[in-house]
Amino acid sequence: MYKIEYLNTGHIFLLPDETAKELKERFPDDYKIIEKNGKKFKDTKKTKKKNDGTIKNLVVEED
C-alpha cells in the first residue's frame, strides 16, 4: 500500500501499489508519495523553471 498526497488540494490517500504507481506515472507533478509499504519514502520531484516573461529563458541554456 502506498500513501500519496494530491498536491493541488493536500488530500492524502492510501492506495494499492498498482493504482498509486499509475497515478504517479500519469500525473507526476500532481502527486507525491509519502509512504511505501508503511515506510517513509522520499519522493523527488523535478522543479520546472518558471518563465518570467522574457525571451532569455528560451534562448540561453542554464545549468
Side-chain angles (χ1 to χ4, degrees):
M1 296 295 277
Y2 280 60
K3 187 183 283 189
I4 64 170
E5 178 181 3
Y6 184 55
L7 298 174
N8 294 338
T9 61
H11 290 97
I12 297 175
F13 302 98
L14 187 61
L15 298 172
D17 298 350
E18 295 174 9
T19 307
K21 288 178 185 177
E22 181 181 333
L23 283 173
K24 184 66 179 169
E25 287 175 7
R26 291 180 62 192
F27 308 104
D29 296 333
D30 292 341
Y31 291 94
K32 178 181 176 185
I33 298 174
I34 299 173
E35 288 185 9
K36 185 176 180 180
N37 297 324
K39 297 178 184 174
K40 290 190 178 189
F41 184 80
K42 185 173 182 179
D43 191 13
T44 56
K45 179 180 170 186
K46 295 181 181 178
T47 57
K48 293 183 178 180
K49 292 183 179 178
K50 293 185 179 182
N51 188 358
D52 61 356
T54 63
I55 196 165
K56 180 182 176 187
N57 293 342
L58 301 173
V59 178
V60 178
E61 289 185 17
E62 296 180 17
D63 292 329

